[in-house]
């Protein structure tokens, strides 16, 4: 494809994918111009299949015609390739290991169970919600002091300081208020999870997140539709 020549940056993703949104956040934070190619996951393009033949999933980033897949690896590639702008991973090896650890923890232990809360009801939903709160409590008690070691565990996030772990948390629970409204449940309680609550609100106040977030009413509609479709299949 002609558009994939030279130094152009092309992101194959979908509007709904939190994994695509992670990469968009990283590109925006680094002020990297890019072309977004909206994929139809029911009719994937040959370009996507060619460049991610193993998983056949979004996102895929093309830089100088070379493909990189898996959102966390793409973000590291972006951070190492474009040194200007905020550092998405700390230079210090120890702090970098902590950011990676907690980003991985959120991905492995929270993403699927949060989705289960959205997609289920009754006892199954109650069990999933309890697990979400338990995992968030671990972040509250153990994670924040390591993620924000420079500020004694107090969450501070700006466009200039946003890191990999902020990006991962953002694409999981930044619209937590919409989740709570649609589900009629409390997920992030400021009384029991004050640090996590402050962290999410700080993320939501950044310009880059505001720019990439759809209007609140649209988020509600997306969540309602997704939940309805999920319950209809069960």
């Amino acid at each position: 494809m002609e558009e994939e020549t030279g130094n152009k940056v092309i992101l194959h993703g979908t509007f709904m994918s939190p994994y695509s949104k992670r990469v968009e956040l990283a590109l925006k934070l680094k002020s990297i111009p890019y072309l977004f190619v909206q994929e139809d996951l029911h009719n994937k393009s040959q370009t996507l299949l060619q460049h991610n033949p193993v998983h056949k999933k979004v996102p895929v980033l093309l830089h100088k015609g070379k493909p990189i897949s898996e959102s966390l690896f793409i973000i590291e590639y972006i951070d190492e390739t474009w040194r200007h702008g905020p550092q998405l991973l700390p230079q210090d090896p120890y702090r970098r290991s902590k950011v990676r650890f907690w980003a991985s923890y959120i991905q492995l232990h929270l993403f699927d169970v949060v989705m289960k809360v959205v997609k289920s009801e009754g006892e199954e939903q109650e069990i999933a919600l309890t697990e979400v709160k338990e995992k968030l409590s671990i972040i509250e008690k153990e994670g924040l002091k390591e993620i924000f070691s420079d500020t004694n565990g107090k969450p501070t996030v700006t466009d200039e300081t946003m890191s990999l772990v902020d990006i991962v948390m953002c694409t999981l629970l930044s619209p937590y208020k919409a989740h709570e409204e649609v589900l009629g449940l409390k997920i992030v309680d400021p009384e029991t999870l004050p640090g996590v609550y402050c962290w999410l609100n700080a993320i939501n106040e950044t310009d880059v997140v505001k720019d990439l977030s759809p209007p609140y009413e649209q988020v509600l509609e997306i969540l309602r539709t997704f939940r309805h479709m999920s319950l209809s299949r069960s």
Side-chain angles (χ1 to χ4, degrees):
M1 292 175 64
E2 182 179 345
E3 65 182 9
E4 293 170 9
T5 60
N7 291 325
K8 288 189 176 179
V9 177
I10 301 164
L11 174 61
H12 288 259
T14 69
F15 173 74
M16 290 286 293
S17 167
Y19 305 104
S20 299
K21 193 67 68 180
R22 288 177 183 175
V23 180
E24 284 199 89
L25 283 166
L27 291 167
K28 291 281 190 182
L29 285 165
K30 291 281 192 176
S31 300
I32 301 166
Y34 65 97
L35 173 66
F36 185 85
V37 178
Q38 174 73 26
E39 287 285 345
D40 179 354
L41 298 185
H42 299 292
N43 184 26
K44 298 172 184 177
S45 71
Q46 286 303 308
T47 304
L48 175 65
L49 299 176
Q50 173 191 345
H51 289 306
N52 191 2
V54 177
H55 296 302
K56 302 179 175 64
K57 294 180 179 180
V58 296
V60 172
L61 186 80
L62 293 172
H63 180 222
K64 299 182 179 180
K66 297 177 181 178
I68 308 99
S69 56
E70 298 293 321
S71 62
L72 297 183
F73 300 144
I74 294 172
I75 292 171
E76 291 204 28
Y77 176 85
I78 290 169
D79 198 41
E80 293 173 4
T81 302
W82 288 274
R83 291 296 187 178
H84 64 270
Q87 287 185 338
L88 306 179
L89 283 154
Q91 283 290 97
D92 177 73
Y94 179 76
R95 289 192 59 225
R96 186 163 64 246
S97 73
K98 292 301 180 182
V99 166
R100 282 188 174 132
F101 174 86
W102 288 107
S104 177
Y105 179 88
I106 293 166
Q107 174 63 44
L108 294 174
H109 296 284
L110 267 170
F111 250 80
D112 286 346
V113 73
V114 168
M115 287 299 102
K116 186 176 287 188
V117 172
V118 177
K119 294 162 64 175
S120 63
E121 56 187 348
E123 184 179 0
E124 184 180 4
Q125 186 185 56
E126 290 177 12
I127 293 171
L129 181 61
T130 298
E131 185 176 351
V132 167
K133 291 180 177 180
E134 288 172 351
K135 302 301 185 186
L136 288 176
S137 180
I138 291 173
I139 293 173
E140 178 79 28
K141 295 173 182 175
E142 304 296 336
L144 294 179
K145 62 186 178 185
E146 294 189 345
I147 296 167
F148 299 102
S149 57
D150 286 353
T151 54
N152 296 316
K154 181 181 179 181
T156 53
V157 185
T158 68
D159 289 354
E160 290 73 37
T161 64
M162 186 174 284
S163 72
L164 171 68
V165 69
D166 298 313
I167 290 173
V168 173
M169 190 62 164
C170 173
T171 54
L172 173 65
L173 278 177
S174 68
Y176 74 92
K177 291 181 181 178
H179 283 79
E180 292 177 344
E181 182 170 340
V182 169
L183 299 171
L185 301 169
K186 198 68 177 174
I187 299 173
V188 182
D189 189 338
E191 296 294 325
T192 57
L193 298 167
V196 171
Y197 178 81
C198 290
W199 185 17
L200 287 168
N201 287 335
I203 289 170
N204 285 333
E205 284 301 310
T206 60
D207 290 335
V208 67
V209 171
K210 288 179 179 179
D211 289 345
L212 279 175
S213 298
Y216 185 73
E217 290 301 322
Q218 186 177 353
V219 176
L220 290 176
E221 187 57 34
I222 290 169
L223 284 170
R224 289 189 184 109
T225 301
F226 178 72
R227 177 168 169 76
H228 176 74
M229 291 174 61
S230 299
L231 292 175
S232 297
R233 295 193 191 106
S234 60

